Amino acid sequence: MGQIIASGTSGSWVCPLGVHKAKIYLIGGGGAGGGATGNPASGCGGAGGQFAMKLFTSVPTTSYPYAAGTAVTGTTTTTVNGVDSTFNTSTVIAKGGAGGIGNSLSVSLGGVGSVLNGVGDVIAAGGSGATAPATGTSGGGAAGGSSAGTGASASGATQGTGVDGAGSGGAGRTTGSVAGLTGTAPGGGGSGGRAATTTDRAGGNGAAGQVKIFWIPPNTGMLLGVG
């Protein structure tokens, strides 16, 4: 079986002679956690990236571009959304997770995982990031897999846990003045930063997305049933 597995990078797949079908699996990049400015303050968790799958009809010798969403860096002041993962530009799209809102005092929402605007035969949402209370416990959401990713616990430190190879969110920070934690690749959302002094703290980074391409070389007698 032929395969390409890429995380956070771009490239092209040239369809081999005799190959007319491929299975495409995408996970979008995770959103970064929100930053914390002030005392006390905390940022919300970023959402996990979306999952998309498609059985693609390919043309031999044709080159198809792909891009696995790159990782994003959390800041102290800016909401940073995750980067989409794509195959053949718009044939398959898994959206990146929404970034967490910064400087929350228990009223802002975490980044929202969504099934909207994805393209594929199967779409599953990433998990939403947690809302941040002033004391700062805002986990990131997990990326989508064969089903929707789990969200972080509401106003809690517990992050969304990835299944089926999807990345988990970064755990919420519960003590000290600390930056948020990075989500796990592929596609985990970062947790929010926590400021217990006047020192500003950045949100956690959103993890890179992923592209998987599987195809069966001709005359192997195999079935394309990769999960």
Side-chain angles (χ1 to χ4, degrees):
M1 176 179 294
Q3 67 178 42
I4 290 174
I5 299 176
S7 179
T9 60
S10 300
S12 294
W13 172 60
V14 178
C15 179
L17 288 171
V19 173
H20 299 277
K21 294 283 186 182
K23 260 193 173 179
I24 314 300
Y25 296 84
L26 304 182
I27 293 177
T37 57
N39 178 22
S42 57
C44 299
Q50 187 183 70
F51 169 86
M53 185 280 289
K54 186 175 182 64
L55 181 59
F56 176 68
T57 300
S58 55
V59 178
T61 74
T62 300
S63 180
Y64 297 99
Y66 63 83
T70 54
V72 295
T73 302
T75 73
T76 57
T77 58
T78 305
T79 299
V80 184
N81 296 328
V83 179
D84 298 349
S85 293
T86 63
F87 174 81
N88 199 31
T89 307
S90 59
T91 300
V92 194
I93 300 173
K95 302 295 291 183
I101 297 171
N103 199 26
S104 171
L105 295 176
S106 77
V107 294
S108 298
L109 297 177
V112 178
S114 175
V115 297
L116 297 177
N117 302 317
V119 178
D121 299 331
V122 177
I123 304 290
S128 296
T131 301
T135 51
T137 54
S138 51
S146 59
S147 58
T150 57
S153 58
S155 300
T158 303
Q159 72 271 42
T161 301
V163 296
D164 298 330
S168 298
R173 308 306 297 264
T174 58
T175 60
S177 288
V178 286
L181 292 175
T182 298
T184 302
S191 63
R194 182 179 192 273
T197 67
T198 56
T199 303
D200 298 343
R201 297 297 181 183
N205 301 337
Q210 186 179 72
V211 171
K212 291 183 178 181
I213 306 169
F214 297 97
W215 67 96
I216 302 300
N219 304 318
T220 61
M222 297 176 66
L223 297 175
L224 192 62
V226 177

